[in-house]
Amino acid sequence: QVQLVESGGGLVQAGESLRLSCAASGTLFSSNTMGWYRQAPGKQREWVATITSGGSTNYADSVKGRFTISRDNVKSSVYLQMNSLKPEDTAVYYCRSSNPYFATVDYWGKGTLVTVSS
């Protein structure tokens, strides 16, 4: 059974930092692309960042230069370092594990809430 468990969310003030973690189990973590997505209240879920099995990263323009995605294949974990947080970063952040070659490999965590106050 595949599980993705996010942690590290919380309430911070604008300008502060948070580090989110996502621990995966039950899947071949090192072969999968890992991603972070977020959903703000009343809005659709949006992509934030991804890191491939080879370590290549991509970011949404809204977080580029402030957020950093990384992975630790030994720990089967992916991280999102969020700096210079803004109120508009407030959202539930979700972890995703997928494989571009196998459509059935597509798993989501339940999310962790990040609230940034002004």
Side-chain angles (χ1 to χ4, degrees):
Q1 182 180 0
V2 177
Q3 277 194 318
L4 299 176
V5 180
E6 301 96 335
S7 61
L11 172 63
V12 297
Q13 291 189 334
E16 294 185 340
S17 298
L18 273 178
R19 187 189 193 219
L20 305 183
S21 300
C22 172
S25 61
T27 184
L28 198 58
F29 179 86
S30 61
S31 299
N32 293 349
T33 293
M34 300 300 298
W36 286 98
Y37 293 72
R38 66 187 182 186
Q39 187 167 17
K43 295 189 177 181
Q44 290 190 328
R45 190 175 298 187
E46 65 175 1
W47 166 70
V48 174
T50 50
I51 183 167
T52 67
S53 59
S56 297
T57 59
N58 278 292
Y59 298 92
D61 287 343
S62 59
V63 306
K64 202 171 293 184
R66 299 188 297 122
F67 290 11
T68 302
I69 188 171
S70 61
R71 65 190 296 159
D72 185 333
N73 290 337
V74 174
K75 295 182 178 180
S76 295
S77 294
V78 63
Y79 308 98
L80 186 68
Q81 178 66 43
M82 305 185 295
N83 298 329
S84 302
L85 283 162
K86 304 175 181 180
E88 51 263 43
D89 295 318
T90 294
V92 177
Y93 284 72
Y94 298 90
C95 174
R96 181 186 188 188
S97 180
S98 61
N99 191 306
Y101 301 105
F102 300 97
T104 55
V105 178
D106 193 355
Y107 308 109
W108 292 83
K110 294 183 178 181
T112 185
L113 176 62
V114 172
T115 304
V116 184
S117 63
S118 57

